[in-house]
């Protein structure tokens, strides 16, 4: 059985969820961002226990199809933005999401917007800007390198999107003493 879990956004999340499910006594198969495969199929009492244990750790067990689909969209975006290199991909996110979920993008977009009060496109931009903030904070790459790494067409485009999202230019953000970053699962 596949359990759909909200707020799984990193490798540590996967490790924690795997460990928690094993502690409950389930045989855990594959665990990815947003989903875990377990055997045998949990009964109602076990599902309640799983939900309460995951909630203590900041996760949420998703039981309806719409919430599961929205979480899968988020997981695809987070995986691509935060855990891969966008430099050479010239990625079309709408095609990537549609292919990844075997659903029409217009349908997915409407569902996401209804559930999240934002568009998939804005969610992607917010995720990319958070990744740019991280890269700026590390200080190992200059703006042109970050532009390339994040798949932007130009540093001017990145800077304009950064300022529109944060109210600061990348230089102002980097110079500020308090770099306000958001947790990926809070976007």
């Amino acid at each position: 059985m596949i359990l759909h879990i909200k707020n799984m956004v990193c490798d540590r999340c996967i490790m924690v969820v795997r460990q928690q499910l094993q502690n409950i006594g389930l045989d855990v198969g594959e665990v990815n961002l947003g989903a875990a495969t377990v055997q045998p199929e949990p009964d109602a009492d076990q599902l309640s226990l799983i939900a309460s244990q995951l909630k203590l750790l900041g996760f949420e067990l998703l039981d309806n199809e719409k919430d599961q689909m929205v979480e899968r969209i988020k997981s695809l975006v987070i995986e691509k933005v935060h855990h891969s290199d966008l430099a050479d991909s010239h990625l079309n996110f709408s095609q990537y999401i549609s292919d990844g979920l075997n659903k029409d993008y217009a349908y997915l977009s409407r569902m996401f917007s209804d559930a999240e009060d934002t568009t998939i496109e804005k969610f992607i931009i917010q995720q990319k800007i958070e990744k740019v903030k991280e890269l700026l904070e590390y200080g190992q790459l200059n703006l042109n390198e970050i532009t390339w790494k994040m798949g932007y067409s130009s540093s001017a485009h990145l800077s304009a999107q950064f300022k529109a999202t944060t109210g600061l230019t990348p230089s102002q953000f980097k110079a500020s003493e308090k770099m306000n970053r958001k947790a990926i699962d809070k976007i």
Side-chain angles (χ1 to χ4, degrees):
M1 170 182 198
I2 297 175
L3 301 174
H4 296 278
I5 303 165
K6 185 174 183 174
N7 297 333
M8 286 180 61
V9 297
C10 65
D11 290 340
R12 278 189 307 273
C13 295
I14 291 171
M15 181 183 69
V16 167
V17 166
R18 176 183 295 282
Q19 185 175 31
Q20 192 61 46
L21 294 172
Q22 288 171 337
N23 289 347
I24 292 171
L26 297 169
D27 181 21
V28 182
E30 190 173 354
V31 181
N32 297 308
L33 296 179
T37 305
V38 298
Q39 293 292 331
E41 186 168 332
D43 61 27
D45 289 338
Q46 286 177 310
L47 284 173
S48 180
L49 176 63
I50 292 166
S52 64
Q53 292 296 313
L54 291 176
K55 188 170 187 148
L56 290 172
L57 298 169
F59 303 106
E60 183 180 339
L61 191 60
L62 301 173
D63 56 3
N64 76 52
E65 188 177 333
K66 183 178 179 179
D67 289 342
Q68 291 173 8
M69 192 64 68
V70 167
E71 197 60 26
R72 289 177 66 200
I73 292 167
K74 288 181 173 183
S75 293
L76 284 171
V77 171
I78 289 168
E79 177 70 31
K80 192 53 86 173
V81 171
H82 293 278
H83 306 292
S84 66
D85 197 349
L86 300 174
D88 291 324
S89 66
H90 300 291
L91 180 68
N92 178 328
F93 269 100
S94 58
Q95 190 66 51
Y96 169 71
I97 292 167
S98 180
D99 290 349
L101 299 176
N102 274 340
K103 302 273 185 204
D104 177 63
Y105 184 76
Y107 166 76
L108 294 171
S109 181
R110 280 191 305 279
M111 180 190 309
F112 189 91
S113 295
D114 289 346
E116 294 295 311
D117 291 329
T118 191
T119 65
I120 293 174
E121 292 77 13
K122 287 181 182 174
F123 180 76
I124 292 166
I125 290 168
Q126 291 171 328
Q127 290 296 332
K128 287 177 83 173
I129 295 303
E130 285 307 312
K131 182 65 176 182
V132 170
K133 286 180 183 179
E134 178 185 322
L135 295 170
L136 287 168
E137 190 173 331
Y138 291 160
Q140 296 175 339
L141 302 174
N142 65 39
L143 189 60
N144 286 332
E145 292 168 325
I146 292 171
T147 298
W148 181 79
K149 180 175 180 60
M150 294 305 298
Y152 281 93
S153 58
S154 69
S155 57
H157 179 223
L158 168 65
S159 295
Q161 204 168 70
F162 193 92
K163 181 154 181 138
T165 304
T166 67
L168 301 170
T169 66
S171 299
Q172 290 169 329
F173 176 81
K174 194 169 181 174
S176 67
E177 288 184 23
K178 185 177 179 188
M179 295 187 183
N180 289 327
R181 290 180 46 206
K182 296 177 186 172
I184 315 172
D185 60 333
K186 302 298 184 217
I187 296 173

